[in-house]
Amino acid sequence: MEREHDDCRAGLRDGLWDGAVEAALRYYRAFLRRPGRHLDLCFEVSCHPESSLVNVANARDILEEALHLLPLPARAELGRLVAPLDAGLRRRTLPDPHACRRFRRGGGWWHRRLYDGDFRW
């Protein structure tokens, strides 16, 4: 599936690449393993596709794209992996009340969380 969709689709700046789903899951898990009660998302610092996954919202975008493209059995399996990660992200990040001013419309809820350096209310 990754090889078939190795292009820029559905808002993914770098599209999918061979190993994108595995990399996205790895970065998502690593983000949630960080210590502390609350976590802030970080902006990416490089244009390399895998470097963009430092921003866990980009990693989640890749997983969302894969969930839409995979056939039903594989989609269900990936969904079982993503659901607890999403629950952890919701629990350990705070909503950003000003996200609508900064981020594209139609992005997933994971784009509307506080980023590093944002004002905590």
Side-chain angles (χ1 to χ4, degrees):
M1 179 268 308
E2 292 168 337
R3 286 186 194 114
E4 293 172 13
H5 298 282
D6 186 11
D7 58 5
C8 295
R9 299 173 46 86
L12 292 178
R13 186 177 47 199
D14 300 309
L16 296 178
W17 64 91
D18 195 22
V21 173
E22 185 274 329
L25 283 170
R26 186 171 19 115
Y27 275 89
Y28 204 175
R29 289 176 178 136
F31 178 81
L32 292 172
R33 280 194 300 267
R34 292 180 182 176
R37 180 175 176 192
H38 292 289
L39 301 173
D40 294 329
L41 279 69
C42 303
F43 291 105
E44 63 274 13
V45 295
S46 169
C47 62
H48 183 273
E50 192 164 329
S51 296
S52 72
L53 301 181
V54 168
N55 179 349
V56 76
N58 293 338
R60 184 58 180 83
D61 283 342
I62 286 173
L63 296 172
E64 187 68 15
E65 180 75 0
L67 286 166
H68 287 291
L69 294 172
L70 285 169
L72 190 55
R75 181 182 319 148
E77 184 176 341
L78 181 58
R80 283 190 293 275
L81 296 174
V82 170
L85 298 174
D86 283 349
L89 188 65
R90 279 196 165 119
R91 186 176 60 253
R92 297 192 58 209
T93 60
L94 298 171
D96 180 356
H98 304 292
C100 61
R101 296 183 207 165
R102 293 187 309 180
F103 297 106
R104 66 181 183 268
R105 293 182 187 262
W109 60 267
W110 47 90
H111 285 281
R112 295 184 297 275
R113 310 307 279 180
L114 280 178
Y115 277 75
D116 186 30
D118 285 342
F119 175 74
R120 288 187 171 275
W121 41 278

